[in-house]
Amino acid sequence: MARNGDLTGEVHYPSQDIIRQANQPDYDRINQAMINDLAGEWGRIAKEEFEWFEPWQTTLDSSNAPFYKWFVGGKTNIVYNALDRHLDTWRRNKVALLWEGENYDQRTYTYHQLHREVCRFSSVLRAMGVRKGDRVTIYMGRIPELMISMLACAKIGAVHSVVYGGFSVEALHGRIEDSQSKVAITADGAWLRGNVVQLKDIMDEALQRAPTVQTVIVVKRTGQPVHMEPGRDLWYTDLMNLPIAAADCFTEVMDAEDPLFLLYTSGTTGKPKAIMHTHGGYMVGVATTLKWVFDLKDEDTWWCAADPGWITGHSYIVYGPLLLGATGLLYEGAPNHPFPDRWWDIAERHGITVLYTAPTAIRGLMRFGDAWPNRHDLSRLRLLGSVGEPINPEAWRWYHRVIGNGNCPIMDTWWQTETGHFMITPLPSTPLKPGSATKPFPGVQVDVLDEDGNPVGPNEEGYLVIKTPWPGMLRTIYGDPDRYVQQYWSRFPGMYMTGDSARRDEDGYIWVIGRVDDVIKVSGYRLGTAEIESALVSHPSVAEAAVIGVPDEVRGSVIYAYCILRAGVEPTQKLVEILRDHVGHEVGPIAKPTTIEFVNSLPKTRSGKIMRRVLKARALGLPEGDLSTLEE
Ligand code: PRX
């Protein structure tokens, strides 16, 4: 409830019940302990909470910063901690994964069963010659085999590179080519809003120019006919029925710093960056943040309603919950299929106690009114979460009042693909302010800086930076260490540049404002302007393109594209549709511009850089500001 306390503005204090049961009730104490001895505290947690085949010698090695290393010399495997170790405990027969298909198919895996499936698929991959360090591309809908594939790779030390199932040909092709994957795993299709997404066709097209892939494993989900390339494509079920799919499969001993996965994310250039995470530090960071922030207990049923193809799913659908021995839910389809209460129906039927989703989904479902959630019993919910973009106070209050019945604290978690896990977030005991991600996770030190690197005053906007290393931090950009240094550690030397702007209020609460680079968040999905622009100019009718994000009530931002057509091409409405579809085919449906405007020129600086600020002002009908650097 809001009440007047020492804090300014609208503040919601947690109940005594919530504080009493919290896994980590004392923010100030643990934060101070971590600030005093960061390596010591993380070392203690890593030792107490996880199994290591061999202990590490150095907890944090900063000697070659910004190439930080954690738990140096330690041997483990994240899958050993996520699955194997639970089998000798009572959790063996606990439900690890509840799965619901969009068509209401249901599957349940206990830890024993999930481990067994992972072992069998690991054995298949090993028998095919997949070895430690090899990259495997995974491109699937939200089905259990997606998780099984990721875990099977990690178990044998292969590096998974999951490409979100909503991406299309060019995006998939670029990611396969960059990672040089030998094996790709996909499905015959994915269900979405009652339609089939043709994953296999997209894979086939992407592979036409990706010679490294020798084998494609295809999971049957929809049963629709697909092309199977002789000598290259194999059905998952056929492989799993062979004697090579042995249920006993040893877990590879990994160095703490060995790569676990690559996850491509958009940045300032057209080429997506392969963010690299490791077995040791990522494991410790992900599990600890989930335990403290969402307070997971054995009796909880956790639902992170993201896609495993993005970092939120990697960390908090796949690895985090399993590391904690929790029960998690994965849902295949759309939130409003067949009706706008599908999510609330799922939450009721599966007895969800902690729900984690994105502002865009909340706003989208809020539109349908209170009656849809109100017809469901959501009384099991105890905590709620938000991620992906700033949550507007109106959506926050609706989520709090209607979904959380006014008594579930909302954990607004700020983090990134690069950070691996939560960085700025409340704990259940933190007083909340709607729209603020509140305070740094214990031990994390952040600042808000001006152009010259000086801290700005209270409530002033500036660059959000992180001043201390953390266990789940990205280790590099795969294949491009220089870009890692240049992109994240050069603007303010010694500090990690997030790419976000923020302000800090008089209570020390952080309010993230948004990206300051050429990244656009559409429905919480991170897209690069350059990727969309290069998709547009790859069409024969377009000579030049510039893309910006403009505000949208539900999706946060939508794409607004300016195109200069080639000589002789007619600017028709039909062409607008053709170009939208072209972007959909190249990048993915989420990247389709909402508006395409044909222009004769683009505002550029004298050095040829597109002035997006000017374009944005034009799109919004606002003053264009200082044009002194304009080339025209
Ligand atoms: O701009 C911030 C926004 O999402 C960016 C990271 O995007 P991505 O790597 O796709 O990871 C998303 C899921 C972790 C950030 O730079 N962002 C993420 N969470 C929040 C947020 N902005 C405001 N509040 C948040 N809670």
Side-chain angles (χ1 to χ4, degrees):
M1 282 301 291
R3 69 159 198 230
N4 288 328
D6 298 325
L7 300 170
T8 53
E10 177 181 343
V11 184
H12 296 251
Y13 291 88
S15 68
Q16 285 308 315
D17 252 11
I18 291 277
I19 298 173
R20 206 175 306 116
Q21 69 189 356
N23 286 335
Q24 180 52 267
D26 195 344
Y27 175 84
D28 289 332
R29 189 196 62 76
I30 186 71
N31 185 41
Q32 203 48 56
M34 283 198 154
I35 288 173
N36 293 344
D37 183 8
L38 188 68
E41 282 300 312
W42 278 116
R44 181 183 58 76
I45 293 165
K47 202 165 168 180
E48 281 171 11
E49 310 268 332
F50 304 91
E51 305 265 339
W52 299 81
F53 303 130
E54 280 176 41
W56 59 91
Q57 286 95 45
T58 311
T59 307
L60 170 61
D61 177 1
S62 308
S63 60
N64 190 27
F67 296 94
Y68 292 94
K69 289 183 180 163
W70 285 85
F71 312 112
V72 184
K75 306 280 183 214
T76 188
N77 185 310
I78 195 169
V79 178
Y80 187 85
N81 280 287
L83 293 176
D84 306 26
R85 68 160 165 168
H86 300 310
L87 302 183
D88 292 330
T89 72
W90 68 270
R91 290 200 182 94
R92 183 182 191 90
N93 295 318
K94 179 179 173 177
V95 173
L97 175 64
L98 293 161
W99 177 75
E100 177 158 323
E102 193 182 72
N103 59 0
Y104 295 92
D105 283 353
Q106 308 282 332
R107 278 197 250 163
T108 300
Y109 294 82
T110 63
Y111 274 89
H112 165 77
Q113 290 168 323
L114 186 61
H115 173 256
R116 198 180 149 80
E117 289 302 295
V118 169
C119 282
R120 292 173 65 218
F121 196 46
S122 290
S123 297
V124 167
L125 293 174
R126 238 193 214 130
M128 286 180 157
V130 178
R131 293 287 174 267
K132 195 173 186 165
D134 288 347
R135 274 83 57 213
V136 174
T137 294
I138 302 174
Y139 180 64
M140 258 188 249
R142 288 187 284 265
I143 54 177
E145 288 83 353
L146 170 54
M147 292 176 60
I148 292 167
S149 301
M150 293 165 71
L151 293 160
C153 287
K155 185 178 171 80
I156 63 171
V159 180
H160 57 72
S161 165
V162 180
V163 180
Y164 167 58
F167 275 130
S168 198
V169 177
E170 258 320 299
L172 176 59
H173 168 253
R175 286 156 173 78
I176 293 174
E177 189 169 56
D178 187 81
S179 65
Q180 301 273 296
S181 293
K182 284 206 280 193
V183 174
I185 309 169
T186 187
D188 62 352
W191 286 114
L192 194 66
R193 289 195 182 79
N195 299 314
V196 174
V197 182
Q198 311 284 348
L199 296 173
K200 181 63 169 59
D201 291 353
I202 295 170
M203 178 62 88
D204 286 344
E205 206 178 326
L207 288 182
Q208 283 170 8
R209 286 166 297 124
T212 56
V213 174
Q214 297 151 8
T215 307
V216 180
I217 300 171
V218 188
V219 175
K220 195 166 274 183
R221 168 61 187 133
T222 61
Q224 56 153 11
V226 290
H227 168 74
M228 293 293 279
E229 182 74 22
R232 189 195 69 185
D233 300 355
L234 299 161
W235 288 106
Y236 176 89
T237 35
D238 291 350
L239 293 167
M240 291 290 264
N241 285 325
L242 293 175
I244 54 164
D248 61 329
C249 173
F250 71 92
T251 303
E252 195 74 44
V253 174
M254 303 301 285
D255 196 278
E257 284 290 307
D258 275 337
L260 167 64
F261 65 82
L262 305 179
L263 189 56
Y264 286 83
T265 191
S266 301
T268 36
T269 73
K271 197 168 164 261
K273 306 174 280 193
I275 303 303
M276 193 181 100
H277 285 288
T278 59
H279 274 259
Y282 175 81
M283 165 177 86
V284 173
V286 165
T288 308
T289 48
L290 182 59
K291 182 171 172 181
W292 291 2
V293 174
F294 284 107
D295 201 37
L296 289 194
K297 307 281 195 327
D298 266 316
E299 51 276 27
D300 275 311
T301 305
W302 159 251
W303 183 16
C304 167
D307 191 293
W310 296 86
I311 191 67
T312 310
H314 277 56
S315 299
Y316 299 113
I317 296 176
V318 182
Y319 290 110
L322 297 175
L323 287 165
L324 297 180
T327 298
L329 181 124
L330 178 68
Y331 166 56
E332 179 184 39
N336 55 350
H337 187 87
F339 301 111
D341 64 343
R342 181 59 185 269
W343 269 18
W344 318 126
D345 178 34
I346 291 174
E348 177 178 7
R349 276 188 288 108
H350 294 279
I352 299 300
T353 57
V354 188
L355 170 66
Y356 184 38
T357 183
T360 184
I362 298 163
R363 291 190 297 259
L365 292 168
M366 185 169 91
R367 258 190 329 178
F368 297 112
D370 299 6
W372 291 103
N374 282 347
R375 71 179 57 153
H376 293 280
D377 176 6
L378 302 177
S379 61
R380 303 297 302 172
L381 286 172
R382 155 171 99 75
L383 281 173
L384 299 171
S386 173
V387 62
E389 56 179 321
I391 180 165
N392 48 312
E394 193 196 353
W396 194 102
R397 288 185 204 112
W398 185 82
Y399 194 31
H400 189 253
R401 178 176 57 82
V402 179
I403 307 307
N405 195 25
N407 54 31
C408 301
I410 298 175
M411 303 294 108
D412 179 355
T413 62
W414 178 92
W415 59 297
Q416 309 177 301
T417 308
E418 292 88 340
T419 71
H421 51 72
F422 311 146
M423 296 299 283
I424 303 175
T425 172
L427 301 183
S429 57
T430 308
L432 305 173
K433 300 190 186 190
S436 167
T438 75
K439 297 194 176 181
F441 187 79
V444 174
Q445 294 186 53
V446 306
D447 215 336
V448 182
L449 306 179
D450 66 16
E451 291 290 339
D452 303 322
N454 303 312
V456 299
N459 291 311
E460 283 175 35
E461 184 174 346
Y463 296 101
L464 179 66
V465 298
I466 303 170
K467 301 196 291 185
T468 40
W470 62 99
M473 64 199 301
L474 78 163
R475 294 305 192 267
T476 190
I477 294 175
Y478 176 74
D480 203 348
D482 293 343
R483 192 171 173 202
Y484 166 69
V485 177
Q486 186 265 327
Q487 184 95 47
Y488 301 107
W489 300 94
S490 302
R491 179 74 174 77
F492 303 109
M495 294 186 219
Y496 172 86
M497 165 88 176
T498 63
D500 280 6
S501 63
R503 60 188 178 83
R504 185 161 36 189
D505 72 15
E506 49 277 48
D507 300 320
Y509 277 50
I510 304 285
W511 299 74
V512 174
I513 296 162
R515 300 290 308 190
V516 285
D517 53 10
D518 299 331
V519 168
I520 305 176
K521 282 265 169 166
V522 179
S523 301
Y525 295 121
R526 180 165 160 181
L527 297 168
T529 50
E531 274 168 285
I532 304 169
E533 286 161 4
S534 69
L536 284 165
V537 295
S538 75
H539 193 273
S541 56
V542 179
E544 232 184 305
V547 158
I548 54 167
V550 293
D552 179 85
E553 227 171 82
V554 172
R555 287 175 282 180
S557 310
V558 289
I559 308 281
Y560 195 114
Y562 292 89
C563 292
I564 303 178
L565 296 178
R566 285 185 189 280
V569 179
E570 283 294 309
T572 60
Q573 187 52 39
K574 179 131 191 287
L575 184 58
V576 170
E577 288 314 314
I578 291 171
L579 292 176
R580 292 185 71 239
D581 287 344
H582 180 69
V583 174
H585 178 261
E586 296 285 295
V587 185
I590 44 166
K592 280 189 183 181
T594 312
T595 313
I596 296 182
E597 189 178 327
F598 298 121
V599 291
N600 294 321
S601 69
L602 291 167
K604 287 184 191 163
T605 60
R606 284 179 206 110
S607 59
K609 206 173 172 315
I610 290 171
M611 296 176 80
R612 287 178 214 284
R613 172 179 63 80
V614 176
L615 288 175
K616 205 162 186 164
R618 279 184 196 169
L620 299 175
L622 298 170
E624 293 180 13
D626 178 14
L627 296 177
S628 58
T629 53
L630 195 69
E631 166 215 47
E632 291 160 323

